[in-house]
Amino acid sequence: MSFLARTMRTAAPRFIPRVAAIPSTSARGFSVSLRLREEQQPTSLDVLRDEEEMLRDAVRRFAEDVVAPKVREMDEKENMNPEIIKGLFEQGLMGIEVPSEFGGAESSFTSAIIAIEELAKIDPSVSVMCDVHNTLVCTIFNKYATEEQKKKYLPQLTSGKIGSFCLSEPASGSDAFALQTRAKKTDDGWVINGSKMWITNSNEAEIFLVFATVDPSLGYKGITCFVVEKEQGVQIAKKEEKLGIRASSTCTLSFDDVKIPLDQVIGEVGKGYKIAIEILNEGRVGIAAQMIGLAAGAFNKSVPYTYERKQFGKPVGTFQAMQVQFAEVATEIEAARLLTYNAARRKEEGKSFTKEAAMAKWYSSQVAQRASGAAIEWAGGVGFTRETGIEKYWRDSKIGAIYEGTSNIQLQTIAKFIEKEHNKQ
């Protein structure tokens, strides 16, 4: 049993009595009296449950002890070390929300966000592998798969097989539902033809969630989600050479007369668009977590160096101009973290979180770019070299404004909510 699974079984949630206000019979109209009510007290956004705190400590140790020594080599070779993948599974980090009966930790969505954040402080490439596998792939199985599909695939996804989410195509990026991959029904199954582009985890994955249309004339109502196993004919047409997150595989996939059984439809035929829309909201919170972890990682690597390097007889970090920059970036990272945690908690509470997810992703990606860029400058010439690893954070940060919904798409989403709230005509 993984450390995370053991932790989820032994840790108890923290409950705090709440002091609630009730009307008073006093003559003063606005006066209130207080009475004690035994229910959970509202807390600050960064207050975590006991098991979430334990998870953060465990992931931090794993990232620092196991991932950190391999980061530079993986980046330069543009390949994920198999021992890292093995470690993610052994630590229970590849089925965080999956029920224990299927080998998962049965923990909270916020726990997944915490793990993604902590991994990103050391290597955003490892973080996004964990992110996509948890917030997109495993969540789709959790929410939309049949019991038979869950029994078949979730134990594989929690024990050793990587999952991949296949939506984007050469002609459908931000316009995700313009996809052209076709699925034709036959007497004994489905035949899939088409290609997918920019697919994360695809080089290592063995289980693919593929979105295809069963009838182009139906528009988005023809889009359906299928589970396809690698051995059923998924082909890697091209592995991309990228600016950042190089150890994370991003590939173009080909599906040439790929035959799958009838029971490999996830959800209902024609409901794939609904699955994609709902699941990408969760994925965007995951990307926000990756970006705040990245920003914190760059900050934590660069700032200590400024107190070691001296100019004009004193540490450069003690100069007022530097201190002002530290304060600004630290505040931005904290603000991004609170936006992200708020979106995660709203999701757990069953509240709408589409706007909050968009805000978190957009702002966190902006902060990641600013923080990592500033971190290079704070370290001076050393920060520009690959030896320190600081410049890698900046390279990795650019993708945050692009994948799982570009910054413009996030801003458009936020603006629609603003218009709905304020436009009364």
Side-chain angles (χ1 to χ4, degrees), residues 258-279:
V258 173
K259 298 177 182 179
I260 62 173
L262 289 169
D263 62 2
Q264 287 184 207
V265 172
I266 299 291
E268 301 177 33
V269 173
K271 297 297 184 181
Y273 75 95
K274 183 176 183 292
I275 294 174
I277 287 174
E278 291 183 358
I279 216 65

Side-chain angles (χ1 to χ4, degrees), residues 346-357:
R346 287 182 67 89
K347 186 266 177 186
E348 289 179 359
E349 294 166 1
K351 297 177 180 177
S352 171
F353 67 103
T354 301
K355 179 183 72 174
E356 289 77 12

Side-chain angles (χ1 to χ4, degrees), residues 323-340:
Q323 292 177 330
V324 168
Q325 293 179 54
F326 297 163
E328 289 177 342
V329 171
T331 302
E332 289 180 342
I333 293 172
E334 183 66 9
R337 178 178 289 112
L338 296 178
L339 279 171
T340 302

Side-chain angles (χ1 to χ4, degrees), residues 3 10 36 114 185 376 394 399 413 424:
F3 172 85
T10 58
L36 192 65
I114 291 168
K185 192 174 184 179
I376 294 173
W394 180 79
I399 191 61
T413 298
K424 305 303 180 182

Side-chain angles (χ1 to χ4, degrees), residues 301-410:
K301 269 202 172 184
S302 184
V303 172
Y305 174 76
T306 68
Y307 294 112
E308 297 172 2
R309 183 169 183 262
K310 292 184 177 182
Q311 291 288 283
F312 307 103
K314 58 188 297 188
V316 296
T318 63
F319 287 102
Q320 187 178 47
M322 295 286 281
Q323 292 177 330
V324 168
Q325 293 179 54
F326 297 163
E328 289 177 342
V329 171
T331 302
E332 289 180 342
I333 293 172
E334 183 66 9
R337 178 178 289 112
L338 296 178
L339 279 171
T340 302
Y341 285 14
N342 182 56
R345 291 302 192 200
R346 287 182 67 89
K347 186 266 177 186
E348 289 179 359
E349 294 166 1
K351 297 177 180 177
S352 171
F353 67 103
T354 301
K355 179 183 72 174
E356 289 77 12
M359 287 179 167
K361 183 186 183 294
W362 172 75
Y363 189 66
S364 297
S365 67
Q366 301 298 304
V367 169
Q369 291 183 55
R370 286 196 294 269
S372 57
I376 294 173
E377 296 178 23
W378 296 339
V382 170
F384 195 68
T385 68
R386 286 153 65 180
E387 182 179 355
T388 63
I390 297 174
E391 55 81 34
K392 179 181 178 298
Y393 288 106
W394 180 79
R395 288 190 285 108
D396 290 351
S397 73
K398 291 301 296 181
I399 191 61
I402 301 172
Y403 62 7
E404 295 197 32
T406 65
S407 288
N408 283 341
I409 292 295
Q410 305 314 307

Side-chain angles (χ1 to χ4, degrees), residues 130-150:
C130 179
D131 176 18
V132 169
H133 186 88
N134 277 284
T135 67
L136 298 183
V137 179
C138 287
T139 301
I140 285 179
F141 278 101
N142 273 338
K143 294 180 68 174
Y144 304 104
T146 64
E147 283 303 310
E148 290 74 17
Q149 290 169 336
K150 291 178 182 179

